[in-house]
């Protein structure tokens, strides 16, 4: 049995599944008026006539055949016909098509909703991990449920940019007086869209926390059979952030062009008005001959202007020597590798790597003890690190453990007694009594 080929199958059925513009507008008008209710053939014909009139198509002598052809096309995929009642009703496919178009057109940009969605996803993922439930449940019940809305919000922003680009091109070709107002409006709208993209990126910040949880799940090999689902969630987050960045970049590219066009328009408009004013003066003025010079007599007894001056004032041009003298040759600087500095940098990098490995080792050891005993005397553990490592390792390990605790705040709790305990191995170092316990 041959596998399904979407192109081959759609090639023969395309006209039945995707209506042409006029058919689509008629179908949407029927849906808007009747939705899932019954309607008659006269109702359809009335809407057909209204849509064609709105599109600027005048009535013709072949209206009867045209209307019948449209109704027959609708019955192939979009409408049911009840022969006994002589009424029509939407098929499921036709209803869903109109509903999707309606939803897309009325959908509003809402970063607060997206932020709430991500917070709910993060919370539900933590619960799924802590209760050791099937990871597929979280994918199906939470991620898949909110995925269309998350994707739609980015598409709405991108669509707004597309509309602004379209308006920009139309504004250039419109009447000049209106074009300036249109372009200024587009610039303001793009600034608003840019702010919206920034808000949406902030709403997506929680996705980084979700990615951290998924990475920890992968590292602990808790969902071996769902690795592809985890990668899918992470790829969606990466793609979404990239798309938001592209929206912002598109806006940054469009705005300078708009400002440049407005500048050129204002400059040309000023030149045009100046030329118009000069032409008016010349048409309303007369030339008078006075001796060897000519003067313009402006209208309304304005002051006279000398067209040609008989007096030539000498001008002195000063040229600095540095502009005419030959330039001194520039010495070529020979660059050398600073071996000592490179060695210091390498040693610093290796130390950073070693410190990171030690911090990871102590953090893992702390949580292993916490899981095994149910309680961790953090103060004793801190002094234990001091015996084997430097103070910086102990401090960074403490910070790392506390930071992880905030991620699993529902799993662990901290008890602190503000009574200082002195270190026996390091003089002058003390720490409050602190314990981590499993809830």
């Amino acid at each position: 049995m041959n596998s399904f080929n979407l192109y081959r199958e759609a090639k023969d059925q395309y006209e039945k599944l995707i209506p042409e513009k006029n058919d689509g507008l008629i179908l949407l008008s029927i849906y808007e008026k009747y939705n899932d209710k019954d309607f008659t053939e006269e109702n359809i014909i009335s809407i057909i006539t209204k849509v064609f009139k709105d599109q600027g198509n005048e009535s013709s002598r072949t209206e009867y055949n045209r209307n019948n052809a449209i109704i027959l096309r609708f019955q192939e995929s979009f409408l049911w016909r009840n022969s006994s009642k002589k009424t029509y009703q939407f098929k499921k496919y036709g209803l869903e098509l109109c509903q999707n178009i309606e939803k897309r057109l009325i959908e509003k940009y809402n970063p607060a909703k997206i932020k709430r969605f991500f917070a709910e996803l993060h919370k539900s993922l933590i619960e799924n991990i802590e209760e050791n439930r099937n990871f597929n449940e979280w994918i199906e019940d939470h991620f898949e449920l909110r995925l269309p809305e998350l994707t739609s919000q980015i598409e709405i922003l991108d669509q707004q940019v597309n509309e602004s680009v379209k308006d920009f091109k139309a504004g250039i070709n419109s009447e000049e007086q209106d074009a300036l107002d249109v372009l200024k409006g587009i610039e303001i709208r793009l600034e608003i869209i840019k702010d919206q993209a920034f808000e949406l990126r902030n709403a997506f910040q929680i996705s980084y926390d979700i990615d951290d949880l998924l990475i920890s799940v992968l590292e602990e090999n808790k969902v071996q059979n769902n690795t592809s689902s985890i990668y899918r969630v992470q790829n969606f987050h990466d793609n979404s952030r990239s798309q938001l960045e592209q929206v912002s970049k598109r806006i940054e590219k469009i705005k300078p062009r708009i400002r440049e066009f407005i500048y050129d328009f204002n400059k040309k408009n000023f030149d045009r008005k100046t030329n118009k004013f000069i032409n008016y003066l010349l048409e309303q003025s007369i030339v008078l001959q006075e001796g060897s010079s000519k003067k313009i007599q402006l209208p309304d007894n304005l002051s006279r202007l000398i067209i040609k001056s008989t007096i030539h004032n000498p001008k002195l041009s000063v040229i600095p020597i540095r502009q005419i003298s030959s330039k001194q040759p520039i010495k070529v600087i020979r660059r050398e590798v600073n071996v000592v500095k490179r060695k210091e940098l390498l040693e610093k990098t290796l130390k950073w790597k070693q410190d990171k490995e030690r911090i990871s080792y102590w953090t893992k050891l702390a949580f292993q003890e916490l899981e095994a005993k149910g309680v961790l005397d953090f103060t004793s553990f801190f002094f234990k690190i001091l015996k084997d490592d430097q103070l910086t390792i102990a401090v960074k390990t403490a910070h790392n453990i506390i930071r992880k605790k905030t991620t699993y705040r529902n799993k662990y709790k901290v008890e602190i007694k503000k009574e200082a305990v002195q270190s026996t191995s390091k003089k002058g170092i003390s720490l409050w009594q602190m314990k981590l316990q499993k809830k």
Side-chain angles (χ1 to χ4, degrees):
M1 182 177 178
N2 294 331
S3 60
F4 178 80
N5 186 300
L6 180 61
Y7 169 76
R8 184 177 63 243
E9 298 296 332
K11 185 171 61 174
D12 299 329
Q13 301 291 327
Y14 186 83
E15 290 80 6
K16 297 178 182 179
L17 299 173
I18 310 296
E20 62 180 23
K21 182 178 180 179
N22 284 337
D23 285 7
L25 291 173
I26 293 166
L27 198 67
L28 291 171
S29 298
I30 297 171
Y31 166 77
E32 183 179 30
K33 192 167 184 179
Y34 300 104
N35 208 305
D36 55 355
K37 300 176 183 177
D38 292 347
F39 44 91
T40 64
E41 186 171 308
E42 287 73 18
N43 298 141
I44 300 176
I45 292 173
S46 173
I47 290 175
I48 292 174
T49 304
K50 182 180 177 181
V51 170
F52 271 89
K53 184 178 180 181
D54 181 65
Q55 292 293 305
N57 297 323
E58 298 181 357
S59 302
S60 63
R61 285 179 288 180
T62 59
E63 273 187 11
Y64 178 80
N65 294 333
R66 179 199 67 191
N67 295 343
N68 282 345
I70 293 173
I71 293 171
L72 287 173
R73 287 199 297 270
F74 283 167
Q75 291 180 62
E76 290 181 337
S77 299
F78 308 111
L79 300 180
W80 288 111
R81 183 177 186 274
N82 190 320
S83 301
S84 58
K85 293 183 180 180
K86 294 184 179 180
T87 58
Y88 294 82
Q89 192 178 43
F90 270 97
K91 291 182 178 179
K92 184 175 182 294
Y93 176 75
L95 197 63
E96 288 178 348
L97 178 67
C98 294
Q99 287 171 343
N100 288 334
I101 295 174
E102 180 185 37
K103 182 181 178 183
R104 180 57 182 266
L105 293 176
I106 67 174
E107 189 72 37
K108 299 298 182 184
Y109 162 80
N110 193 344
K113 183 193 290 186
I114 299 304
K115 191 172 184 178
R116 188 175 69 252
F117 277 3
F118 273 119
E120 291 170 356
L121 283 173
H122 184 247
K123 180 181 177 182
S124 61
L125 180 57
I126 291 176
E127 293 173 354
N128 182 279
I129 294 171
E130 291 179 346
E131 297 174 11
N132 201 22
R133 295 203 299 265
N134 187 344
F135 183 74
N136 251 348
E137 291 181 7
W138 181 80
I139 291 290
E140 294 173 3
D141 298 346
H142 298 278
F143 180 73
E144 294 285 1
L145 195 65
R146 292 171 175 81
L147 181 62
E149 185 72 23
L150 297 172
T151 306
S152 176
Q153 288 292 309
I154 300 174
E155 292 177 356
I156 290 169
L157 274 180
D158 187 60
Q159 183 178 348
Q160 290 177 355
V161 176
N162 289 335
E163 290 172 357
S164 296
V165 173
K166 184 178 178 181
D167 292 343
F168 171 65
K169 293 179 179 178
I172 292 176
N173 298 324
S174 65
E175 293 295 327
E176 290 184 345
Q177 191 61 39
D178 296 334
L180 187 59
D181 295 334
V182 170
L183 292 173
K184 287 180 178 178
I186 294 170
E187 187 176 21
I188 294 171
R189 191 195 315 166
L190 285 172
E191 192 64 38
I192 294 172
I193 296 172
K194 185 180 177 182
D195 292 339
Q196 291 173 341
F198 177 75
E199 290 176 7
L200 199 56
R201 277 202 303 275
N202 285 343
F204 266 78
Q205 287 300 313
I206 307 178
S207 66
Y208 288 102
D209 296 331
I210 295 175
D211 286 345
D212 288 342
L213 286 174
L214 294 177
I215 290 172
S216 67
V217 168
L218 281 175
E219 289 175 346
E220 295 172 10
N221 295 322
K222 288 185 177 180
V223 285
Q224 296 178 358
N225 298 328
N226 298 298
T227 304
S228 59
S229 297
I230 291 178
Y231 287 149
R232 179 167 168 250
V233 176
Q234 292 175 327
N235 286 336
F236 167 72
H237 291 163
D238 290 339
N239 291 336
S240 299
R241 296 174 199 128
S242 175
Q243 289 163 4
L244 285 170
E245 194 64 32
Q246 289 175 19
V247 171
S248 298
K249 287 181 179 178
R250 288 185 64 196
I251 295 171
E252 291 300 330
K253 289 181 180 179
I254 297 169
K255 288 180 65 178
R257 292 181 59 193
I258 294 176
R259 287 193 290 268
E260 181 182 352
F261 182 85
I262 292 174
Y263 172 79
D264 291 341
F265 176 85
N266 286 331
K267 187 174 182 298
K268 291 177 182 178
N269 195 39
F270 175 79
D271 293 341
R272 185 178 65 254
K273 289 180 179 179
T274 303
N275 291 335
K276 187 176 180 181
F277 173 70
I278 292 174
N279 287 335
Y280 172 80
L281 287 179
L282 292 175
E283 289 173 357
Q284 302 298 322
S285 304
I286 59 175
V287 179
L288 298 178
Q289 183 78 33
E290 293 184 0
S292 61
S293 63
K294 293 181 179 180
K295 295 184 179 180
I296 294 177
Q297 176 64 56
L298 300 176
D300 300 329
N301 298 320
L302 295 178
S303 300
R304 295 181 180 181
L305 297 177
I306 298 176
I307 292 179
K308 183 179 179 182
S309 176
T310 56
I311 302 172
H312 297 280
N313 296 322
K315 293 182 179 180
L316 177 65
S317 298
V318 178
I319 303 175
I321 296 177
R322 65 175 179 271
Q323 293 186 7
I324 57 176
S325 61
S326 58
K327 295 182 179 181
Q328 295 294 327
I330 300 173
K331 185 178 180 180
V332 178
I333 301 174
R334 184 178 179 183
R335 300 186 182 276
E336 296 180 356
V337 177
N338 191 330
V339 179
V340 176
K341 190 174 181 180
R342 186 172 64 176
K343 185 179 178 181
E344 289 176 355
L345 185 62
L346 180 60
E347 290 174 352
K348 188 183 293 185
T349 304
L350 290 174
K351 186 180 182 306
W352 173 82
K353 185 178 179 182
Q354 290 169 0
D355 288 352
K356 187 176 180 182
E357 289 174 353
R358 294 299 294 170
I359 292 167
S360 178
Y361 164 75
W362 286 114
T363 303
K364 185 176 180 181
L365 189 64
F367 278 97
Q368 285 176 351
E369 184 177 337
L370 181 58
E371 289 293 328
K373 297 180 180 179
V375 63
L376 173 67
D377 186 347
F378 184 78
T379 306
S380 301
F381 187 79
F382 182 84
F383 292 144
K384 181 181 177 181
I385 299 174
L386 282 178
K387 290 181 181 179
D388 297 340
D389 278 306
Q390 297 176 354
L391 177 61
T392 54
I393 301 295
V395 172
K396 289 182 180 179
T397 302
H399 176 266
N400 204 29
I401 292 172
I402 297 301
R403 186 172 63 84
K404 283 187 176 291
K405 182 264 165 189
T406 59
T407 305
Y408 300 101
R409 57 174 60 90
N410 296 325
K411 192 173 181 181
Y412 306 113
K413 66 178 181 178
V414 179
E415 291 183 0
I416 300 176
K417 292 183 180 180
K418 295 184 178 180
E419 296 177 3
V421 179
Q422 297 292 331
S423 172
T424 57
S425 60
K426 303 282 186 179
K427 293 183 179 181
I429 297 177
S430 61
L431 190 70
W432 284 344
Q433 293 184 21
M434 184 164 62
K435 289 184 180 181
L436 268 70
Q437 288 184 336
K438 292 178 66 176
K439 289 185 178 179

